[in-house]
């Protein structure tokens, strides 16, 4: 039985997976391979049988020569020999097929398995990880590096194993003619492995460089495509092209370096020497009367088998080296620490919705900016304290960059604070079971993300399996029903397909629909967009008040109409609470507050 453990802890999300080793790339790949034992058996049997039957040909040809060189040649002796050669070569073809099939199967299965493992591990990583790791680089690893692992098995390992047995056969078969004939194939094998070891050692850093430069090029490409609007808006196409060309050059140079090393691999030279040496040796023994003609021919044929390991060696091992480089990059990503702990054993209960911040200080982890900020002794949030009763509505206001978004992201532990305490229902959020905490908090982000799926699926994202009626009810409550019905396919309209894109206001209402679906205890609405026409504004307003009913709600907004009816208004300035209270109180007491409405 396979042992099952949870994947790389600590993580925010785990799933039961087989227990793979994560200590080194080779062990990790091996722990994947070993689970397909019968496929491995098939590859090895196929490779061995293929080589053994290939070795039979020169042996039988040698016998045929000897039969013909008799004083009274008997041509009938040739017929069984010919049939034997024909028959064994058919079997050999089947065995070869088995080897190729096994290797291909292994490659494809491993590719799928490793892709799954990587994906699950990525979902388990904290936002801290994701905000520091470029998407393009992750994409390069999840696609191309995983693909390299596949190629490492077929053709890589397939040919390495296949050609290994071709190297062994002359050593096994030569002594049947004369023990001294072992010298050449043995010397060849020693020189071959020695040069291979050196070759692989010089190749490894280049393989790593090839994979890394490729990932780098990808991440820049994906970033500039993501930001293509900005690039065009700023007329920076030329400089982006220049950057891309530079990155592409690095990839090219790395590949050229690899080709250079491949070209210097001396296996071809060794093969030439082995053939010359072996033939000379055999002829010498022939002159001494220790070998007959057929035996010389058979031996020569056996030596010719060494051309398979010679010709495949440079690129088959390159493939293996590239696969291992890819494996190292994937494993590095899987193993990279993720700071948040999902705290599976933590507090898990129905939430009332009381929130308290006690002297909260927060700085974004590890970014250059965070470094600068903490050097200057200033955090994104500084000693923020407030308390909200269940069901209250809180408006968070402040200038751009004041820390509003950062503040609300601490409630569901998108990020963890550096100092102080964030409490939900009187319990530190770090004491909560992360899944329980997050499933009861719904966050509508500043830039709302919609999946390229149907509107229905987008609304029901937090509750897959919801009925059409439930989805429509949520759509109505979110004031989204009317505009959805204007689409030809209504709720089945796929976003992003055939030009269906949504305006900011429409996206927001879909996101509100999501919130209605999950019925969270705490709703957070990061609504810093302001330019919306008054008819839409009115609808959103109504949707929001409906959504806020019966739950604790945080609204980040610039709209006076929304701020007014909040139970508590928090005015942030440069990461500090500048003022706090109700609208009427603040209008009288706070300059900072009145100033916001003068902008
Ligand atoms: N910040 C950061 N790393 C992030 C996000 C934000 O270092 N991943 C910094 C920003 O540079 C900013 C500060 O944190 O100085 C507060 O950012 P944020 O909370 O996003 O500000 P908001 O008040 O939400 O600003 P806006 O109204 O523009 O949304
Ligand atoms: Mg913001």
């Amino acid at each position: 039985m396979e042992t099952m453990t949870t994947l790389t802890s600590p993580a925010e999300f785990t799933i039961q997976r087989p227990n793979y080793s994560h200590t080194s790339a080779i062990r990790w790949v091996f722990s994947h391979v070993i689970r397909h034992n019968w496929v491995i058996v098939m590859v090895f049997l196929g490779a061995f049988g293929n080589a053994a039957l290939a070795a039979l040909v020169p042996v039988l040809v040698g016998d045929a020569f000897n039969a013909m060189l008799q004083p009274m040649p008997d041509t009938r002796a040739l017929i069984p020999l010919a049939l034997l050669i024909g028959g064994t070569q058919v079997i050999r073809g089947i065995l070869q097929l088995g080897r190729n099939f096994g290797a291909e199967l292994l490659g494809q299965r491993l590719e799928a398995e490793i892709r799954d493992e990587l994906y699950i591990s990525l979902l388990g990583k904290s936002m801290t990880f994701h905000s520091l790791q470029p998407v393009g680089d992750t994409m390069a690893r999840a696609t191309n590096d995983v693909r390299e692992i596949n190629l490492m098995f077929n053709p890589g390992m397939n040919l390495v194993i296949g050609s290994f047995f071709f190297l062994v056969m002359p050593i096994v078969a030569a002594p049947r003619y004369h023990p001294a004939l072992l010298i050449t194939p043995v010397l060849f094998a020693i020189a071959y492995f020695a040069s291979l070891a050196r070759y692989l050692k010089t190749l490894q850093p280049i393989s790593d460089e090839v994979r890394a430069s490729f990932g780098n090029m990808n991440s820049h490409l994906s970033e500039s495509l993501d930001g293509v609007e900005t690039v065009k808006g700023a007329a920076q196409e030329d400089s982006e092209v220049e950057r891309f060309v530079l990155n592409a050059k690095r990839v090219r140079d790395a590949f050229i370096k690899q080709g250079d090393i491949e070209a210097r691999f001396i296996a071809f030279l060794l093969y030439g020497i082995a053939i010359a040496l072996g033939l000379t040796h055999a002829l010498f023994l022939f002159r001494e009367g220790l070998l007959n003609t057929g035996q010389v021919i058979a031996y020569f044929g056996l030596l010719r088998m060494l051309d398979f390991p010679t010709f495949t060696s440079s690129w088959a091992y390159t493939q293996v080296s590239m696969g291992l480089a890819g494996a190292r990059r994937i494993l590095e990503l899987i193993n990279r620490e993720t700071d948040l702990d999902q705290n599976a054993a933590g507090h898990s209960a129905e939430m009332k919705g009381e929130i308290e911040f006690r002297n909260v200080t927060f700085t974004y982890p590890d970014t250059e900016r965070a470094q600068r900020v903490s050097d200057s002794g200033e955090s994104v949030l500084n000693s923020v304290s407030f308390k909200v009763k269940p069901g209250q509505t809180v408006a968070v206001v402040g200038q751009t960059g004041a820390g509003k978004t950062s503040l609300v992201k601490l409630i569901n532990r998108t990020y963890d604070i550096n100092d102080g305490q964030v409490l939900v229902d009187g319990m530190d959020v770090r004491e909560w079971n992360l899944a329980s905490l997050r499933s009861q908090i719904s966050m509508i982000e500043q830039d709302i993300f919609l999946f390229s799926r149907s509107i229905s699926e987008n609304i029901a994202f937090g509750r897959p399996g919801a009925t059409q009626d439930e989805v429509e009810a949520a759509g109505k409550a979110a004031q989204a029903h009317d505009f959805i019905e204007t689409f030809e396919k209504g709720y089945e309209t796929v976003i992003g397909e055939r030009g269906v894109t949504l305006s900011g206001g429409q996206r927001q209402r879909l996101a509100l629909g999501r919130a209605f679906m999950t019925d969270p205890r705490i709703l957070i609405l990061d609504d810093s967009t302001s330019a919306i026409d008054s008819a839409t504004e009115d609808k959103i307003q109504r949707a929001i008040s409906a959504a806020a009913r019966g739950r604790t709600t945080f609204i980040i907004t610039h709209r006076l109409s929304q701020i007014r009816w909040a139970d508590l208004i928090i005015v942030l300035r440069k990461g500090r609470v500048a003022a706090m209270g109700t609208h009427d109180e603040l209008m009288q007491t706070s300059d900072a507050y009145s100033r916001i409405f003068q902008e």
Side-chain angles (χ1 to χ4, degrees):
M1 279 307 295
E2 286 148 4
T3 44
M4 307 287 272
T5 60
T6 47
L7 197 75
T8 47
S9 61
E12 287 189 19
F13 159 91
T14 48
I15 204 166
Q16 294 293 306
R17 301 286 293 167
N19 192 5
Y20 299 123
S21 163
H22 287 118
T23 46
S24 80
I26 292 182
R27 271 191 220 150
W28 175 60
V29 171
F30 187 74
S31 68
H32 272 273
V33 173
I34 201 72
R35 303 177 61 243
H36 305 279
N37 34 30
W38 69 265
V39 185
I40 305 171
V41 171
M42 181 155 99
V43 171
F44 273 89
L45 272 186
F48 174 79
N50 177 32
L53 295 180
L56 203 61
V57 177
V59 171
L60 292 177
V61 168
D63 290 351
F65 264 89
N66 280 342
M68 288 308 97
L69 291 173
Q70 296 299 320
M72 299 283 287
D74 178 11
T75 40
R76 270 175 313 171
L78 286 188
I79 294 169
L81 280 175
L83 286 179
L84 196 56
I85 289 182
T88 52
Q89 294 319 292
V90 171
I91 298 173
R92 183 183 156 204
I94 295 168
L95 287 167
Q96 206 169 23
L97 187 76
R99 185 197 76 195
N100 289 336
F101 178 73
E104 182 66 22
L105 195 65
L106 207 54
Q108 300 295 352
R109 279 189 177 179
L110 250 63
E111 180 176 347
E113 258 178 42
I114 284 175
R115 196 165 273 152
D116 275 358
E117 189 187 346
L118 177 62
Y119 182 59
I120 289 167
S121 127
L122 286 175
L123 287 187
K125 304 274 185 198
S126 67
M127 275 315 294
T128 306
F129 168 90
H130 284 291
S131 50
L132 297 179
Q133 166 67 17
V135 175
D137 183 61
T138 308
M139 285 302 290
R141 296 187 203 212
T143 53
N144 292 299
D145 286 313
V146 175
R147 180 91 195 124
E148 287 296 334
I149 293 183
N150 181 342
L151 296 177
M152 169 164 80
F153 284 91
N154 199 26
M157 284 308 285
N158 181 12
L159 293 178
V160 166
I161 296 167
S163 65
F164 172 77
F165 286 111
F166 271 64
L167 194 67
V168 170
M169 284 307 153
I171 298 176
V172 175
R176 66 180 260 147
Y177 303 119
H178 195 281
L181 289 177
L182 265 179
I183 294 175
T184 303
V186 167
L187 282 182
F188 176 82
I190 292 171
Y192 178 83
F193 284 119
S195 68
L196 195 60
R198 228 195 63 200
Y199 172 65
L200 288 178
K201 216 173 120 200
T202 35
L203 192 62
Q204 185 196 318
I206 311 296
S207 301
D208 286 341
E209 194 179 320
V210 167
R211 301 309 319 148
S213 62
F214 192 82
N216 197 23
M217 178 176 78
N218 253 35
S219 72
H220 282 297
L221 179 64
S222 99
E223 220 160 77
S224 56
L225 286 181
D226 242 10
V228 69
E229 222 175 308
T230 316
V231 172
K232 285 185 176 294
Q236 289 300 310
E237 288 100 327
D238 286 343
S239 72
E240 284 302 310
V241 166
E242 240 167 66
R243 264 178 52 176
F244 184 78
V245 168
L246 194 74
N247 283 325
K249 259 195 200 133
R250 290 213 183 100
V251 176
R252 184 198 63 189
D253 291 347
F255 269 112
I256 289 178
K257 238 192 261 172
Q258 180 185 317
D260 189 36
I261 290 176
E262 276 176 35
R264 285 167 202 231
F265 186 42
I266 58 162
F268 293 107
L269 184 63
L270 292 178
Y271 176 64
I273 294 173
I275 291 288
L277 184 75
L279 196 60
T280 314
H281 188 196
L283 289 175
F284 183 74
L285 293 175
F286 178 76
R287 217 179 54 188
E288 298 291 307
L290 298 171
L291 286 182
N292 61 33
T293 314
Q295 287 172 328
V296 173
I297 287 168
Y299 179 65
F300 187 60
L302 285 172
L303 284 183
R304 291 283 306 267
M305 287 181 76
L306 297 177
D307 73 348
F308 184 29
T310 305
F311 282 93
T312 54
S313 57
S314 65
W315 57 275
Y317 284 97
T318 308
Q319 201 73 69
V320 174
S321 182
M322 294 289 269
L324 282 178
R328 273 192 292 275
R329 281 164 51 79
I330 296 166
L331 188 63
E332 189 268 328
L333 205 58
I334 290 177
N335 279 346
R336 202 172 315 154
E337 277 302 321
T338 168
D339 297 330
L340 284 187
D341 171 10
Q342 65 175 350
N343 196 6
H347 180 68
S348 134
E350 179 131 359
M351 210 177 257
K352 292 199 289 289
E354 185 194 278
I355 297 169
E356 185 179 355
F357 274 51
R358 281 188 201 154
N359 277 318
V360 168
T361 299
F362 170 67
T363 310
Y364 282 96
D366 259 339
T367 54
E368 269 174 43
R369 203 201 97 89
Q371 208 51 53
R372 244 181 18 243
V373 167
S374 63
D375 286 350
S376 67
E378 230 182 280
S379 309
V380 171
L381 291 173
N382 268 306
S383 342
V384 173
S385 298
F386 62 86
K387 193 167 176 176
V388 186
K389 292 198 196 79
Q392 283 193 326
T393 296
V394 183
V396 183
V397 298
Q399 287 167 348
T400 176
K404 306 180 295 291
T405 303
S406 310
L407 182 140
V408 296
K409 286 197 166 166
L410 303 178
I411 301 172
N412 75 351
R413 286 188 72 199
T414 305
Y415 296 99
D416 268 340
I417 57 174
N418 305 83
D419 206 14
Q421 247 184 333
V422 177
L423 304 129
V424 169
D425 288 359
M427 167 99 47
D428 192 310
V429 284
R430 282 166 294 197
E431 311 261 303
W432 277 81
N433 168 313
L434 192 65
S436 171
L437 179 80
R438 287 194 179 162
S439 64
Q440 301 182 75
I441 300 175
S442 180
M443 169 116 70
I444 298 177
E445 311 254 352
Q446 195 161 353
D447 33 43
I448 292 155
F449 187 81
L450 298 176
F451 295 92
S452 323
R453 304 177 192 166
S454 72
I455 289 181
S456 250
E457 283 171 286
N458 269 290
I459 292 179
F461 186 72
R463 244 185 70 198
T467 66
Q468 185 61 27
D469 285 347
E470 287 171 318
V471 172
E472 278 187 28
K476 280 183 188 140
Q479 305 285 330
H481 189 74
D482 291 347
F483 83 79
I484 295 172
E485 289 291 280
T486 64
F487 296 129
E488 203 178 306
K489 289 194 187 156
Y491 281 83
E492 292 318 305
T493 310
V494 174
I495 291 166
E497 219 172 60
R498 263 176 268 134
V500 178
T501 47
L502 302 179
S503 73
Q506 289 171 331
R507 287 169 166 266
Q508 202 162 40
R509 278 173 284 163
L510 279 198
L512 276 169
R514 266 184 202 166
F516 278 108
M517 285 305 289
T518 47
D519 190 23
R521 299 326 307 147
I522 298 174
L523 174 67
I524 297 166
L525 196 69
D526 193 347
D527 172 25
S528 296
T529 48
S530 36
I532 288 178
D533 63 283
S534 54
T536 315
E537 165 113 32
D538 190 46
K539 280 195 175 148
I540 290 179
Q541 179 70 53
R542 255 185 291 154
I544 291 176
S545 15
R549 214 165 292 139
R551 48 186 134 244
T552 312
T553 308
F554 275 75
I555 303 179
I556 301 175
T557 181
H558 296 308
R559 289 186 212 122
L560 189 52
S561 58
Q562 285 183 4
I563 298 169
R564 260 203 185 118
W565 47 265
D567 301 301
L568 179 71
I569 298 162
I570 298 172
V571 185
L572 280 183
R573 197 165 60 199
K574 291 187 184 155
R576 291 173 191 277
V577 178
M580 198 153 57
T582 62
H583 177 71
D584 294 338
E585 288 166 13
L586 289 176
M587 276 314 252
Q588 287 172 8
T589 57
S590 171
D591 280 350
Y593 184 67
S594 1
R595 222 180 298 140
I596 292 170
F597 299 104
Q598 288 157 11
E599 272 171 17

